[in-house]
Protein backbone atom coordinates (compact mmCIF):
# COMPACT_ATOMS: atom_id res chain seq x y z
CA UNK A 1 0.00 0.00 0.00
CA UNK A 2 1.31 3.42 -1.04
CA UNK A 3 1.12 5.77 1.92
CA UNK A 4 3.10 8.64 0.42
CA UNK A 5 1.14 11.67 -0.71
CA UNK A 6 0.98 15.40 -1.35
CA UNK A 7 -2.01 17.33 -0.02
CA UNK A 8 -2.75 20.36 -2.17
CA UNK A 9 -4.61 23.06 -0.24
CA UNK A 10 -5.59 26.38 -1.86
CA UNK A 11 -5.87 29.27 0.57
CA UNK A 12 -7.10 32.79 0.55
CA UNK A 13 -7.35 34.52 3.94
CA UNK A 14 -7.60 31.36 6.02
CA UNK A 15 -5.20 32.24 8.82
CA UNK A 16 -7.42 31.03 11.67
CA UNK A 17 -7.90 27.63 10.03
CA UNK A 18 -4.27 26.75 9.29
CA UNK A 19 -3.18 25.36 12.66
CA UNK A 20 -6.29 23.29 13.41
CA UNK A 21 -6.21 21.96 9.83
CA UNK A 22 -2.58 20.90 9.98
CA UNK A 23 -3.07 19.30 13.41
CA UNK A 24 -6.09 17.32 12.21
CA UNK A 25 -4.24 16.19 9.11
CA UNK A 26 -1.32 15.02 11.27
CA UNK A 27 -3.73 13.07 13.49
CA UNK A 28 -5.43 11.47 10.48
CA UNK A 29 -2.17 10.59 8.71
CA UNK A 30 0.04 9.10 11.40
CA UNK A 31 2.04 6.36 9.72
CA UNK A 32 1.85 8.12 6.34
CA UNK A 33 4.58 10.06 4.60
CA UNK A 34 3.09 13.30 3.36
CA UNK A 35 3.56 16.97 2.65
CA UNK A 36 0.91 19.68 2.85
CA UNK A 37 1.43 22.03 -0.07
CA UNK A 38 -0.50 25.26 0.39
CA UNK A 39 -1.04 27.53 -2.59
CA UNK A 40 -1.86 30.96 -1.26
CA UNK A 41 -2.92 33.94 -3.34
CA UNK A 42 -1.05 36.52 -1.35
CA UNK A 43 -3.59 36.62 1.49
CA UNK A 44 -3.64 39.86 3.45
CA UNK A 45 -4.38 38.21 6.81
CA UNK A 46 -1.02 36.52 7.27
CA UNK A 47 -2.01 33.03 6.09
CA UNK A 48 1.42 32.38 4.54
CA UNK A 49 3.20 33.45 7.73
CA UNK A 50 0.95 31.16 9.77
CA UNK A 51 1.98 28.28 7.53
CA UNK A 52 5.67 29.19 7.76
CA UNK A 53 5.52 29.16 11.54
CA UNK A 54 4.40 25.50 11.45
CA UNK A 55 7.33 24.36 9.33
CA UNK A 56 9.46 23.28 12.28
CA UNK A 57 6.82 20.87 13.56
CA UNK A 58 4.96 19.71 10.47
CA UNK A 59 5.71 18.81 6.82
CA UNK A 60 4.18 21.95 5.32
CA UNK A 61 5.16 24.13 2.35
CA UNK A 62 3.59 27.22 0.89
CA UNK A 63 3.69 28.72 -2.58
CA UNK A 64 2.55 32.33 -2.66
CA UNK A 65 1.14 33.52 -5.98
CA UNK A 66 1.22 37.23 -6.47
CA UNK A 67 0.00 37.68 -10.01
CA UNK A 68 -2.72 35.10 -10.25
CA UNK A 69 -5.95 34.46 -8.41
CA UNK A 70 -8.53 31.73 -8.24
CA UNK A 71 -9.12 28.49 -6.40
CA UNK A 72 -8.91 26.09 -9.35
CA UNK A 73 -5.80 27.58 -10.94
CA UNK A 74 -4.13 27.57 -7.50
CA UNK A 75 -4.75 23.81 -7.35
CA UNK A 76 -3.20 23.40 -10.80
CA UNK A 77 -0.11 25.16 -9.47
CA UNK A 78 -0.13 22.68 -6.60
CA UNK A 79 -0.32 19.76 -9.06
CA UNK A 80 2.75 21.10 -10.86
CA UNK A 81 4.74 21.37 -7.64
CA UNK A 82 3.62 18.23 -5.81
CA UNK A 83 6.50 16.00 -4.73
CA UNK A 84 4.52 12.76 -4.83
CA UNK A 85 2.58 10.66 -7.31
CA UNK A 86 -0.51 10.50 -5.14
CA UNK A 87 -2.23 13.85 -4.69
CA UNK A 88 -5.18 14.82 -2.49
CA UNK A 89 -6.93 18.17 -2.98
CA UNK A 90 -8.87 19.73 -0.11
CA UNK A 91 -10.06 23.07 1.24
CA UNK A 92 -8.34 24.79 4.16
CA UNK A 93 -11.48 25.75 6.04
CA UNK A 94 -12.18 22.34 7.64
CA UNK A 95 -15.36 21.84 5.63
CA UNK A 96 -13.48 18.82 4.27
CA UNK A 97 -12.79 16.55 7.26
CA UNK A 98 -9.17 15.30 7.22
CA UNK A 99 -10.33 12.01 8.75
CA UNK A 100 -11.61 11.03 5.27
CA UNK A 101 -8.15 11.29 3.64
CA UNK A 102 -7.18 7.65 4.45
CA UNK A 103 -10.35 6.46 2.68
CA UNK A 104 -9.35 8.37 -0.45
CA UNK A 105 -5.81 6.97 -0.32
CA UNK A 106 -7.14 3.44 0.20
CA UNK A 107 -9.37 3.68 -2.86
CA UNK A 108 -6.43 4.81 -5.00
CA UNK A 109 -4.46 1.85 -3.71
CA UNK A 110 -7.34 -0.41 -4.73
CA UNK A 111 -6.93 0.71 -8.32
CA UNK A 112 -8.85 3.95 -8.80
CA UNK A 113 -7.20 6.78 -10.72
CA UNK A 114 -9.50 9.45 -9.27
CA UNK A 115 -11.38 9.23 -5.96
CA UNK A 116 -14.05 11.81 -5.23
CA UNK A 117 -15.16 12.59 -1.69
CA UNK A 118 -18.85 12.88 -2.46
CA UNK A 119 -21.78 14.65 -0.84
CA UNK A 120 -24.28 12.96 -3.09
CA UNK A 121 -23.88 9.24 -2.47
CA UNK A 122 -25.39 7.39 0.50
CA UNK A 123 -23.54 8.41 3.65
CA UNK A 124 -22.61 11.81 2.22
CA UNK A 125 -24.29 15.17 2.72
CA UNK A 126 -24.06 18.84 3.60
CA UNK A 127 -25.17 19.43 7.13
CA UNK A 128 -26.26 23.04 7.24
CA UNK A 129 -27.39 23.73 3.71
CA UNK A 130 -30.69 25.47 3.03
CA UNK A 131 -33.11 24.05 0.48
CA UNK A 132 -32.17 26.83 -1.92
CA UNK A 133 -28.44 26.21 -1.72
CA UNK A 134 -29.02 22.49 -2.28
CA UNK A 135 -31.16 23.27 -5.30
CA UNK A 136 -28.50 25.55 -6.78
CA UNK A 137 -25.85 22.88 -6.19
CA UNK A 138 -28.01 20.20 -7.84
CA UNK A 139 -28.82 22.53 -10.72
CA UNK A 140 -25.15 23.25 -11.34
CA UNK A 141 -24.40 19.52 -11.38
CA UNK A 142 -27.29 18.81 -13.75
CA UNK A 143 -26.08 21.49 -16.14
CA UNK A 144 -22.54 20.12 -16.13
CA UNK A 145 -23.79 16.59 -16.75
CA UNK A 146 -26.05 17.77 -19.54
CA UNK A 147 -23.23 19.47 -21.41
CA UNK A 148 -20.22 17.33 -20.45
CA UNK A 149 -20.53 13.53 -20.58
CA UNK A 150 -17.40 13.15 -18.42
CA UNK A 151 -19.27 14.80 -15.55
CA UNK A 152 -21.77 11.92 -15.59
CA UNK A 153 -19.21 9.52 -14.19
CA UNK A 154 -19.78 10.72 -10.64
CA UNK A 155 -22.64 12.01 -8.56
CA UNK A 156 -20.60 14.94 -7.23
CA UNK A 157 -18.41 16.40 -10.00
CA UNK A 158 -18.34 19.72 -8.11
CA UNK A 159 -16.62 18.39 -5.01
CA UNK A 160 -13.46 20.23 -4.04
CA UNK A 161 -12.21 17.21 -2.07
CA UNK A 162 -10.64 14.41 -4.13
CA UNK A 163 -7.57 12.29 -4.73
CA UNK A 164 -5.83 11.49 -7.97
CA UNK A 165 -2.71 9.95 -9.41
CA UNK A 166 -0.44 12.54 -10.90
CA UNK A 167 -0.48 10.61 -14.20
CA UNK A 168 -4.13 11.65 -14.67
CA UNK A 169 -3.16 15.25 -15.34
CA UNK A 170 0.46 14.92 -16.43
CA UNK A 171 1.03 16.65 -19.76
CA UNK A 172 -2.53 18.04 -19.79
CA UNK A 173 -3.10 21.71 -20.25
CA UNK A 174 -5.45 22.56 -17.40
CA UNK A 175 -6.88 26.06 -17.62
CA UNK A 176 -9.81 26.16 -15.21
CA UNK A 177 -11.75 29.33 -14.51
CA UNK A 178 -13.14 29.77 -10.99
CA UNK A 179 -13.76 26.98 -8.49
CA UNK A 180 -14.38 23.67 -10.23
CA UNK A 181 -11.03 21.96 -10.48
CA UNK A 182 -12.49 18.44 -10.29
CA UNK A 183 -14.71 19.12 -13.30
CA UNK A 184 -11.67 20.25 -15.30
CA UNK A 185 -9.82 17.10 -14.23
CA UNK A 186 -12.70 14.77 -15.13
CA UNK A 187 -13.14 16.34 -18.56
CA UNK A 188 -9.50 16.74 -19.61
CA UNK A 189 -7.61 14.15 -17.55
CA UNK A 190 -6.68 10.65 -18.71
CA UNK A 191 -7.88 7.90 -16.43
CA UNK A 192 -9.85 4.68 -16.30
CA UNK A 193 -11.40 4.21 -12.94
CA UNK A 194 -13.21 6.85 -10.88
CA UNK A 195 -14.85 6.01 -7.56
CA UNK A 196 -16.67 8.02 -4.92
CA UNK A 197 -16.46 7.76 -1.16
CA UNK A 198 -19.03 9.55 1.01
CA UNK A 199 -18.32 12.50 3.26
CA UNK A 200 -20.26 15.13 5.19
CA UNK A 201 -19.53 18.67 4.08
CA UNK A 202 -18.93 20.45 7.42
CA UNK A 203 -19.91 23.87 8.65
CA UNK A 204 -17.34 26.59 8.14
CA UNK A 205 -16.36 27.72 11.62
CA UNK A 206 -13.64 30.29 10.96
CA UNK A 207 -13.25 32.88 8.23
CA UNK A 208 -15.57 33.50 5.31
CA UNK A 209 -16.51 31.65 2.13
CA UNK A 210 -15.15 33.33 -0.98
CA UNK A 211 -18.09 32.14 -3.03
CA UNK A 212 -20.18 34.95 -4.52
CA UNK A 213 -22.44 35.66 -7.47
CA UNK A 214 -19.46 36.30 -9.69
CA UNK A 215 -18.48 32.66 -9.15
CA UNK A 216 -21.76 31.52 -10.69
CA UNK A 217 -20.94 33.52 -13.79
CA UNK A 218 -17.38 32.17 -13.83
CA UNK A 219 -18.85 28.70 -13.58
CA UNK A 220 -20.86 29.20 -16.77
CA UNK A 221 -17.75 30.53 -18.54
CA UNK A 222 -15.82 27.51 -17.33
CA UNK A 223 -18.54 25.15 -18.64
CA UNK A 224 -18.47 26.87 -22.04
CA UNK A 225 -14.69 26.59 -22.19
CA UNK A 226 -14.82 22.89 -21.28
CA UNK A 227 -17.54 22.27 -23.89
CA UNK A 228 -15.19 23.74 -26.47
CA UNK A 229 -12.03 22.05 -25.27
CA UNK A 230 -13.61 18.62 -24.89
CA UNK A 231 -15.19 18.66 -28.36
CA UNK A 232 -18.77 18.72 -27.07
CA UNK A 233 -19.45 22.06 -28.77
CA UNK A 234 -18.33 20.60 -32.10
CA UNK A 235 -20.55 17.61 -31.43
CA UNK A 236 -23.54 19.95 -31.15
CA UNK A 237 -22.62 21.66 -34.43
CA UNK A 238 -22.34 18.29 -36.16
CA UNK A 239 -25.74 17.33 -34.79
CA UNK A 240 -27.28 20.51 -36.22
CA UNK A 241 -25.65 19.94 -39.61
CA UNK A 242 -26.99 16.39 -39.67
CA UNK A 243 -30.42 17.81 -38.84
CA UNK A 244 -30.09 20.18 -41.80
CA UNK A 245 -29.25 17.29 -44.10
CA UNK A 246 -32.39 15.55 -42.83
CA UNK A 247 -34.49 18.52 -43.92
CA UNK A 248 -33.06 18.18 -47.43
CA UNK A 249 -33.79 14.44 -47.50
CA UNK A 250 -37.29 15.14 -46.26
CA UNK A 251 -38.10 17.80 -48.88
CA UNK A 252 -36.34 15.93 -51.70
CA UNK A 253 -38.18 12.72 -51.10
CA UNK A 254 -41.52 14.44 -50.63
CA UNK A 255 -41.11 16.03 -54.04
CA UNK A 256 -39.76 12.92 -55.77
CA UNK A 257 -42.41 10.54 -54.48
CA UNK A 258 -45.26 12.95 -55.15
CA UNK A 259 -44.19 14.35 -58.51
CA UNK A 260 -42.26 11.48 -60.03
CA UNK A 261 -43.76 8.37 -58.45
CA UNK A 262 -47.29 9.75 -58.28
CA UNK A 263 -47.92 8.98 -54.59
CA UNK A 264 -50.47 10.92 -52.59
CA UNK A 265 -48.52 13.71 -50.86
CA UNK A 266 -49.47 12.56 -47.37
CA UNK A 267 -48.09 9.10 -48.06
CA UNK A 268 -44.97 10.68 -49.59
CA UNK A 269 -44.55 12.83 -46.49
CA UNK A 270 -44.84 9.84 -44.16
CA UNK A 271 -42.15 8.00 -46.11
CA UNK A 272 -40.01 11.15 -46.35
CA UNK A 273 -40.20 11.83 -42.63
CA UNK A 274 -39.22 8.32 -41.59
CA UNK A 275 -36.45 8.17 -44.19
CA UNK A 276 -34.97 11.43 -42.94
CA UNK A 277 -35.10 10.14 -39.37
CA UNK A 278 -33.16 7.08 -40.47
CA UNK A 279 -30.55 9.02 -42.46
CA UNK A 280 -30.17 11.35 -39.48
CA UNK A 281 -29.68 8.35 -37.24
CA UNK A 282 -27.04 6.85 -39.50
CA UNK A 283 -25.07 10.08 -39.79
CA UNK A 284 -25.25 10.71 -36.07
CA UNK A 285 -24.29 7.16 -35.27
CA UNK A 286 -21.25 7.17 -37.55
CA UNK A 287 -20.22 10.82 -37.31
CA UNK A 288 -21.65 12.82 -34.42
CA UNK A 289 -21.52 10.04 -31.82
CA UNK A 290 -18.97 7.74 -33.47
CA UNK A 291 -16.96 7.66 -30.23
CA UNK A 292 -19.94 6.26 -28.33
CA UNK A 293 -21.42 3.97 -30.98
CA UNK A 294 -23.12 0.90 -29.54
CA UNK A 295 -21.58 -2.36 -30.66
CA UNK A 296 -23.36 -5.24 -32.39
CA UNK A 297 -26.65 -5.54 -34.16
CA UNK A 298 -28.71 -5.30 -31.03
CA UNK A 299 -26.99 -2.08 -30.01
CA UNK A 300 -27.40 -0.60 -33.47
CA UNK A 301 -31.11 -1.32 -33.78
CA UNK A 302 -31.72 -0.49 -30.15
CA UNK A 303 -30.22 2.93 -30.69
CA UNK A 304 -32.23 3.37 -33.87
CA UNK A 305 -35.43 2.64 -31.96
CA UNK A 306 -34.46 5.10 -29.25
CA UNK A 307 -33.61 7.74 -31.83
CA UNK A 308 -37.07 7.31 -33.41
CA UNK A 309 -38.73 7.70 -30.04
CA UNK A 310 -36.73 10.81 -29.23
CA UNK A 311 -37.60 12.26 -32.65
CA UNK A 312 -41.27 11.69 -31.91
CA UNK A 313 -40.82 13.66 -28.70
CA UNK A 314 -39.06 16.38 -30.69
CA UNK A 315 -41.97 16.53 -33.13
CA UNK A 316 -44.45 16.98 -30.29
CA UNK A 317 -42.31 19.73 -28.76
CA UNK A 318 -42.07 21.46 -32.12
CA UNK A 319 -45.86 21.35 -32.55
CA UNK A 320 -46.53 22.46 -28.98
CA UNK A 321 -44.24 25.50 -29.27
CA UNK A 322 -45.67 26.32 -32.69
CA UNK A 323 -49.25 26.25 -31.42
CA UNK A 324 -48.50 28.02 -28.14
CA UNK A 325 -46.58 30.92 -29.63
CA UNK A 326 -49.06 31.36 -32.47
CA UNK A 327 -52.28 31.02 -30.46
CA UNK A 328 -51.27 32.48 -27.13
CA UNK A 329 -48.46 34.93 -27.92
CA UNK A 330 -49.87 35.92 -31.31
CA UNK A 331 -46.65 35.29 -33.26
CA UNK A 332 -46.70 34.80 -37.02
CA UNK A 333 -46.81 31.01 -37.46
CA UNK A 334 -43.59 30.85 -39.50
CA UNK A 335 -41.72 32.65 -36.71
CA UNK A 336 -43.29 30.38 -34.08
CA UNK A 337 -42.08 27.42 -36.07
CA UNK A 338 -38.51 28.70 -35.93
CA UNK A 339 -38.69 28.60 -32.12
CA UNK A 340 -40.35 25.20 -32.36
CA UNK A 341 -37.47 23.86 -34.41
CA UNK A 342 -34.93 25.32 -31.98
CA UNK A 343 -36.74 23.72 -29.01
CA UNK A 344 -36.96 20.37 -30.74
CA UNK A 345 -33.28 20.50 -31.74
CA UNK A 346 -32.20 21.07 -28.14
CA UNK A 347 -34.47 18.27 -26.93
CA UNK A 348 -33.20 15.90 -29.61
CA UNK A 349 -29.57 16.71 -28.98
CA UNK A 350 -29.58 16.44 -25.22
CA UNK A 351 -31.84 13.41 -24.92
CA UNK A 352 -29.97 11.50 -27.61
CA UNK A 353 -26.69 12.53 -26.02
CA UNK A 354 -27.67 11.37 -22.55
CA UNK A 355 -29.83 8.36 -23.43
CA UNK A 356 -29.47 7.00 -26.97
CA UNK A 357 -25.69 7.28 -27.11
CA UNK A 358 -24.90 7.17 -23.44
CA UNK A 359 -22.26 4.55 -24.27
CA UNK A 360 -22.13 0.95 -23.16
CA UNK A 361 -18.81 1.29 -21.34
CA UNK A 362 -17.77 4.12 -19.05
CA UNK A 363 -16.33 6.83 -21.27
N1 LIG B 1 -5.42 30.24 -3.61
C1 LIG B 1 -6.70 30.54 -3.57
N2 LIG B 1 -7.19 31.53 -4.38
N3 LIG B 1 -7.54 29.87 -2.75
C2 LIG B 1 -8.84 30.21 -2.73
C3 LIG B 1 -9.40 31.21 -3.54
C4 LIG B 1 -8.50 31.91 -4.41
O1 LIG B 1 -8.88 32.81 -5.16
N4 LIG B 1 -10.73 31.29 -3.29
C5 LIG B 1 -10.98 30.36 -2.35
N5 LIG B 1 -9.85 29.72 -2.01
C6 LIG B 1 -9.68 28.64 -1.02
C7 LIG B 1 -10.25 28.97 0.35
O2 LIG B 1 -9.30 29.62 1.16
C8 LIG B 1 -10.59 27.57 0.86
O3 LIG B 1 -9.47 26.91 1.40
C9 LIG B 1 -11.02 26.84 -0.39
O4 LIG B 1 -10.40 27.52 -1.47
C10 LIG B 1 -12.55 26.84 -0.56
O5 LIG B 1 -13.03 28.17 -0.60
P1 LIG B 1 -14.46 28.56 0.02
O6 LIG B 1 -14.65 29.99 -0.26
O7 LIG B 1 -14.55 28.08 1.41
O8 LIG B 1 -15.40 27.73 -0.94
P2 LIG B 1 -16.80 27.03 -0.63
O9 LIG B 1 -16.80 26.35 0.71
O10 LIG B 1 -17.88 27.97 -0.92
O11 LIG B 1 -16.78 25.94 -1.80
C11 LIG B 1 -16.21 24.66 -1.59
O12 LIG B 1 -17.21 23.71 -1.70
C12 LIG B 1 -17.80 23.61 -2.97
C13 LIG B 1 -18.87 22.57 -2.91
O13 LIG B 1 -19.99 23.15 -2.50
C14 LIG B 1 -15.12 24.36 -2.62
O14 LIG B 1 -14.48 23.15 -2.28
C15 LIG B 1 -15.66 24.21 -4.01
O15 LIG B 1 -14.63 23.75 -4.90
C16 LIG B 1 -16.76 23.21 -3.99
O16 LIG B 1 -17.36 23.12 -5.25
MN1 LIG C 1 -15.57 26.52 2.30
Amino acid sequence: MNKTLTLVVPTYNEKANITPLVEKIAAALSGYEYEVLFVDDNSSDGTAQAIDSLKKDYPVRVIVRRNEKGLASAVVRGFENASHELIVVMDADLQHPPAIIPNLVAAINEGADIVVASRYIPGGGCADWSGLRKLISRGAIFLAQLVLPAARKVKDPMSGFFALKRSVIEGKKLEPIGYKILLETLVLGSYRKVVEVPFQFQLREQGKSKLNLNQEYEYLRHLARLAKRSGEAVRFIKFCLVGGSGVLVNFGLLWLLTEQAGFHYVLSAAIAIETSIITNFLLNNFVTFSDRRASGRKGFFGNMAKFNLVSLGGLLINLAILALLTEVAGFYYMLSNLFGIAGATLWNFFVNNWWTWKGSKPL
Side-chain angles (χ1 to χ4, degrees):
M1 167 134 167
N2 175 13
K3 287 186 151 191
T4 306
L5 66 143
T6 295
L7 286 152
V8 170
V9 185
T11 54
Y12 190 67
N13 290 344
E14 299 288 358
K15 185 177 179 202
N17 288 313
I18 300 301
T19 302
L21 175 73
V22 170
E23 283 171 352
K24 284 196 175 149
I25 290 173
L29 295 183
S30 71
Y32 289 68
E33 189 194 330
Y34 68 94
E35 61 171 353
V36 189
L37 175 53
F38 289 94
V39 184
D40 184 65
D41 284 354
N42 209 11
S43 298
S44 55
D45 70 345
T47 298
Q49 290 80 342
I51 297 164
D52 277 332
S53 73
L54 292 175
K55 271 187 182 154
K56 53 185 189 320
D57 300 313
Y58 297 98
V60 296
R61 283 205 282 151
V62 59
I63 295 173
V64 178
R65 302 196 305 172
R66 288 175 209 284
N67 302 319
E68 285 161 283
K69 242 188 98 49
L71 195 172
S73 67
V75 173
V76 173
R77 176 67 79 84
F79 288 164
E80 290 162 359
N81 289 278
S83 308
H84 305 298
E85 175 64 27
L86 204 168
I87 300 172
V88 172
V89 178
M90 70 188 298
D91 292 348
D93 57 4
L94 294 166
Q95 292 194 279
H96 295 158
I100 301 295
I101 300 168
N103 303 353
L104 302 181
V105 173
I108 293 273
N109 277 293
E110 281 158 21
D113 300 299
I114 301 176
V115 187
V116 178
S118 176
R119 296 163 292 172
Y120 296 126
I121 58 170
C126 346
D128 63 318
W129 280 18
S130 68
L132 182 69
R133 176 130 197 227
K134 273 192 192 134
L135 197 72
I136 292 174
S137 173
R138 291 287 191 170
I141 291 175
F142 177 76
L143 197 63
Q145 294 182 329
L146 192 64
V147 177
L148 303 166
R152 296 171 201 161
K153 289 178 198 165
V154 290
K155 297 265 186 283
D156 195 355
M158 304 299 162
S159 179
F161 192 12
F162 59 98
L164 77 169
K165 291 181 181 156
R166 205 224 301 262
S167 56
V168 170
I169 45 92
E170 211 142 46
K172 306 284 173 202
K173 206 162 162 240
L174 301 184
E175 295 174 321
I177 307 173
Y179 263 47
K180 308 304 178 190
I181 179 61
L182 175 59
L183 194 60
E184 179 91 2
T185 306
L186 287 170
V187 173
L188 298 175
S190 55
Y191 53 92
R192 280 158 195 253
K193 194 171 167 200
V194 190
V195 303
E196 287 179 277
V197 302
F199 91 106
Q200 289 285 338
F201 195 69
Q202 304 294 310
L203 277 169
R204 185 189 249 275
E205 282 164 18
Q206 306 274 351
K208 281 201 294 273
S209 168
K210 281 86 206 172
L211 201 65
N212 52 35
L213 208 62
N214 188 43
Q215 289 301 337
E216 312 287 338
Y217 168 70
E218 300 268 86
Y219 172 61
L220 296 180
R221 274 183 59 214
H222 190 197
L223 272 192
R225 175 180 287 189
L226 282 176
K228 251 193 238 159
R229 292 195 64 198
S230 64
E232 291 305 316
V234 172
R235 196 193 295 282
F236 181 65
I237 292 170
K238 284 181 185 163
F239 189 85
C240 291
L241 290 176
V242 168
S245 80
V247 174
L248 295 181
V249 169
N250 190 334
F251 271 92
L253 214 56
L254 176 61
W255 181 83
L256 264 175
L257 293 178
T258 311
E259 301 299 325
Q260 306 300 317
F263 287 16
H264 187 274
Y265 75 93
V266 174
L267 177 61
S268 307
I271 298 172
I273 290 170
E274 185 54 30
T275 308
S276 68
I277 290 177
I278 291 171
T279 56
N280 278 357
F281 170 73
L282 292 173
L283 284 170
N284 282 322
N285 195 52
F286 293 106
V287 180
T288 319
F289 293 101
S290 61
D291 56 330
R292 285 195 252 148
R293 203 161 57 213
S295 58
R297 244 181 161 191
K298 223 175 125 202
F300 178 83
F301 286 107
N303 277 5
M304 194 189 284
K306 286 179 174 175
F307 188 81
N308 266 276
L309 215 61
V310 176
S311 302
L312 186 64
L315 179 71
L316 294 178
I317 287 174
N318 192 336
L319 291 177
I321 295 176
L322 169 67
L324 218 71
L325 289 183
T326 310
E327 300 300 323
V328 180
F331 283 24
Y332 179 53
Y333 74 96
M334 294 289 259
L335 180 64
S336 308
N337 198 36
L338 217 58
F339 285 103
I341 289 172
T345 302
L346 289 178
W347 159 270
N348 285 341
F349 178 71
F350 286 118
V351 179
N352 280 314
N353 191 333
W354 210 333
W355 185 51
T356 312
W357 281 285
K358 75 168 173 288
S360 43
K361 300 185 274 299
L363 300 165

